[in-house]
Amino acid sequence: ETGVTQTPRHLVMGMTNKKSLKCEQHLGHNAMYWYKQSAKKPLELMFVYNFKEQTENNSVPSRFSPECPNSSHLFLHLHTLQPEDSALYLCASSQRGSGGVDTQYFGPGTRLTVL
Amino acid sequence: EDQVTQSPEALRLQEGESSSLNCSYTVSGLRGLFWYRQDPGKGPEFLFTLYSAGEEKEKERLKATLTKKESFLHITAPKPEDSATYLCAVNSGNTGKLIFGQGTTLQVKP
């Protein structure tokens, strides 16, 4: 595997289900991100993890729960979602340096549909 | 508040017809401006990073330029395989947070 991988690629769930999205980066990076991409809207940052520590939570509802067990893996746990949460969920990673601007590399995304 | 606006929202070109996409930004302190390409159902693919006004970068038929208020992505003699959504994003802080524009969807017809 190379780059950033995400599983599953497609997910359909009911509002009462619990599911998890998985992201793995094979680039040796130390920062990982979750983004939400809804139709006709800009990519929206959800969470940032720097060296496994959450450094940003962009006012995301508690029904989304991130987990970063190590610098290569990132999860997004989902529970009691709403239909408006249907979107493409993108994971990205980057190498954060001291003062430099890092480039984020994205995975292919998980297309989530909430019924 | 940091903001990124891309125009046009959609662009249709004939193969070989050169054009430019615009990305206007308002940030408190630009640290980097990024261009990505996104194909339907896929994640964004990194194209360029620009750091300061006057900087230019090229890759095949694409050339990105940067001023203090906007960036342009020039597409020279496009081909149908250049059809995609092009995203612009800015980084203005130390958190790694990117602010994205809504994108320009380019369609190149043979």
Side-chain angles (χ1 to χ4, degrees), chain A residues 9 33 35 37 40-43 45 48 55-56 58 88 90 96 99-108, chain B residues 9 31-32 34 36 38 41-46 49 51 87 91 93-102:
Chain A
R9 293 295 311 278
Y33 311 79
Y35 286 86
Q37 188 174 35
K40 304 295 183 183
K41 288 187 177 180
L43 264 79
L45 180 67
V48 179
T55 56
E56 181 119 7
N58 208 24
L88 182 68
L90 291 160
R96 310 276 350 261
V101 177
D102 48 306
T103 298
Q104 295 179 24
Y105 294 88
F106 286 82
Chain B
E9 189 174 320
R31 293 172 55 80
F34 301 81
Y36 287 87
Q38 186 174 24
K42 295 187 177 181
E45 174 189 347
F46 171 70
T49 308
Y51 297 99
L87 302 173
N91 179 313
N94 291 320
T95 64
K97 183 175 181 177
L98 288 181
I99 308 296
F100 278 85
Q102 287 189 297

Side-chain angles (χ1 to χ4, degrees), chain B residues 7 10-11 15 39 41 76 103:
Chain B
S7 62
L11 182 63
E15 184 172 2
D39 292 298
T76 303

Side-chain angles (χ1 to χ4, degrees), chain A residues 4-92:
Chain A
V4 180
T5 58
Q6 291 186 242
T7 55
R9 293 295 311 278
H10 301 272
L11 179 62
V12 179
M13 58 187 290
M15 289 191 287
T16 57
N17 291 158
K18 289 185 179 181
K19 296 286 184 182
S20 296
L21 310 185
K22 178 183 175 182
C23 174
E24 184 173 359
Q25 61 95 1
H26 308 267
L27 300 169
H29 290 165
N30 55 23
M32 298 187 77
Y33 311 79
W34 279 118
Y35 286 86
K36 176 183 179 181
Q37 188 174 35
S38 303
K40 304 295 183 183
K41 288 187 177 180
L43 264 79
E44 181 183 347
L45 180 67
M46 300 175 73
F47 302 103
V48 179
Y49 277 83
N50 215 350
F51 295 99
K52 302 187 302 177
E53 298 296 323
Q54 185 176 314
T55 56
E56 181 119 7
N57 176 338
N58 208 24
S59 302
V60 180
S62 59
R63 58 186 182 269
F64 295 91
S65 175
E67 178 190 1
C68 188
N70 54 61
S71 58
S72 298
H73 294 85
L74 185 65
F75 296 89
L76 188 62
H77 304 299
L78 316 171
H79 63 98
T80 58
L81 293 190
Q82 304 299 312
E84 59 264 30
D85 296 322
S86 299
L88 182 68
Y89 287 85
L90 291 160
C91 174

Side-chain angles (χ1 to χ4, degrees), chain B residues 4-105:
Chain B
V4 177
T5 303
Q6 292 187 245
S7 62
E9 189 174 320
L11 182 63
R12 287 185 178 181
L13 298 174
Q14 287 297 129
E15 184 172 2
E17 180 186 3
S18 301
S19 187
S20 297
L21 313 182
N22 177 266
C23 172
S24 298
Y25 63 89
T26 306
V27 296
S28 53
L30 182 70
R31 293 172 55 80
L33 184 143
F34 301 81
W35 282 99
Y36 287 87
R37 169 192 169 129
Q38 186 174 24
D39 292 298
K42 295 187 177 181
E45 174 189 347
F46 171 70
L47 292 174
F48 304 109
T49 308
L50 301 168
Y51 297 99
S52 58
E55 189 174 359
E56 300 182 352
K57 288 193 176 174
E58 288 188 66
K59 180 180 179 180
E60 295 180 358
R61 296 177 292 282
L62 300 177
K63 178 180 177 180
T65 62
L66 181 64
T67 72
K68 289 185 177 181
K69 294 182 179 181
E70 58 192 349
S71 177
F72 291 94
L73 185 65
H74 307 278
I75 302 177
T76 303
K79 298 182 177 182
E81 53 263 40
D82 295 322
S83 298
T85 296
Y86 290 86
L87 302 173
C88 172
V90 297
N91 179 313
S92 64
N94 291 320
T95 64
K97 183 175 181 177
L98 288 181
I99 308 296
F100 278 85
Q102 287 189 297
T104 294
T105 299

